Amino acid sequence: MKLSESIKIKIQKLLTLAKDATDEESQTAMLHARKLMLKHNIQESELISSHVNDKTVVNERVYRNRLIWWHRKLAHIIGRHFRCSYYRNTIDSYQAEIRFVGLAEDVQIAVMIYNFARASIHYHSRAFLLRSEIKRKWKRKHQFKNDYIEGYLAGLNQKFLEQNKSESLELIVVQDPLVIQYYNSLSLTSLNIPSAKKAGDDVAWRNGYNDGKKFESGREMIE
């Protein structure tokens, strides 16, 4: 059996596991499959058929509700490392959407990672606020929480950068020209991501950074 065929079989098994396993096992399997697909430049269409199918660019909603400042920063990080672009679509004065644009197989993975990371940030930031040294500063809890989340996002981004470097994926994690063409055709208005009020606390930021770098490696129970 050729090496490429054995790798495809391994990826297929991982994708099957990702569909049938628990959330944590699913995330681990999907990330491992992504690494192999990127490293060996294998598209999802190649796993289903020996014939090369047309690439499909999709525009999919990943989140809809009231947007917090870090929701968009997280989307930027995930999109950057999973070959997708993102944009905000305003629904009304209370709600907006975050949408990913990319090849179908890339968006599928990016949506899953975004939602898992969003849940992880909620979970860990709440746990951080329950620490005794933070409880004593309860009036500024939201500012400390923002410091923590800013650090988490930085740690998460660094996690992906190191992963790409260790797997030699820097030149592979680039968007397909069809994705770039479609995204540009949307003629979106560039909007700055609003900043949140922070306490400027280095301890909170560093705690968030360390937890962000642990993303994927730990057995996290997100409820």
Side-chain angles (χ1 to χ4, degrees):
M1 183 183 296
K2 295 181 179 179
L3 178 60
S4 60
E5 291 301 319
S6 64
I7 292 173
K8 290 178 183 179
I9 291 174
K10 185 173 183 179
I11 293 172
Q12 286 176 319
K13 291 180 178 179
L14 286 168
L15 292 176
T16 299
L17 176 61
K19 292 179 181 178
D20 299 334
T22 63
D23 287 346
E24 183 185 353
E25 292 171 335
S26 175
Q27 183 227 11
T28 302
M30 188 66 81
L31 280 173
H32 193 185
R34 168 198 175 256
K35 291 179 185 179
L36 291 175
M37 291 171 74
L38 291 174
K39 185 173 184 179
H40 298 281
N41 198 24
I42 295 174
Q43 299 296 326
E44 187 175 357
S45 58
E46 298 178 61
L47 304 176
I48 301 172
S49 171
S50 59
H51 302 288
V52 178
N53 297 327
D54 292 335
K55 295 178 181 177
T56 302
V57 177
V58 299
N59 183 339
E60 185 171 331
R61 183 179 71 195
V62 62
Y63 180 78
R64 174 175 174 169
N65 208 325
R66 184 176 66 87
L67 294 187
I68 305 173
W69 65 272
W70 59 266
H71 286 163
R72 293 170 61 191
K73 282 197 172 184
L74 176 61
H76 176 76
I77 292 171
I78 300 300
R80 174 187 177 190
H81 294 290
F82 291 84
R83 301 194 295 200
C84 297
S85 291
Y86 92 96
Y87 67 95
R88 185 189 73 178
N89 180 41
T90 301
I91 305 300
D92 52 40
S93 57
Y94 300 100
Q95 291 188 98
E97 294 177 332
I98 287 179
R99 304 186 71 91
F100 278 142
V101 173
L103 296 182
E105 56 267 28
D106 292 330
V107 170
Q108 179 186 14
I109 296 172
V111 168
M112 187 193 71
I113 300 303
Y114 179 90
N115 285 321
F116 188 90
R118 184 170 56 84
S120 181
I121 291 173
H122 277 299
Y123 176 85
H124 287 293
S125 61
R126 286 198 302 265
F128 177 75
L129 291 180
L130 293 177
R131 295 187 179 187
S132 58
E133 65 271 23
I134 300 301
K135 282 186 174 182
R136 292 195 295 268
K137 307 170 184 177
W138 196 248
K139 291 183 178 180
R140 301 174 65 199
K141 65 175 182 177
H142 293 297
Q143 295 176 33
F144 284 100
K145 182 179 180 180
N146 288 334
D147 286 334
Y148 175 91
I149 293 175
E150 191 75 67
Y152 190 105
L153 293 171
L156 180 66
N157 185 57
Q158 186 62 30
K159 172 77 176 183
F160 288 135
L161 287 173
E162 292 176 359
Q163 173 184 300
N164 290 339
K165 185 176 181 180
S166 66
E167 298 289 336
S168 300
L169 301 177
E170 296 96 330
L171 298 180
I172 301 176
V173 186
V174 293
Q175 287 187 352
D176 189 280
L178 288 177
V179 175
I180 297 174
Q181 181 182 6
Y182 177 92
Y183 186 79
N184 290 339
S185 73
L186 298 176
S187 300
L188 299 169
T189 302
S190 179
L191 296 174
N192 293 326
I193 300 176
S195 59
K197 190 173 182 180
K198 304 180 182 70
D201 187 81
D202 183 66
V203 174
W205 190 94
R206 181 58 56 180
N207 273 273
Y209 181 85
N210 291 336
D211 286 340
K213 286 198 69 177
K214 294 175 184 177
F215 182 81
E216 172 196 352
S217 61
R219 297 186 62 82
E220 303 181 42
M221 300 301 295
I222 308 300
E223 299 181 4

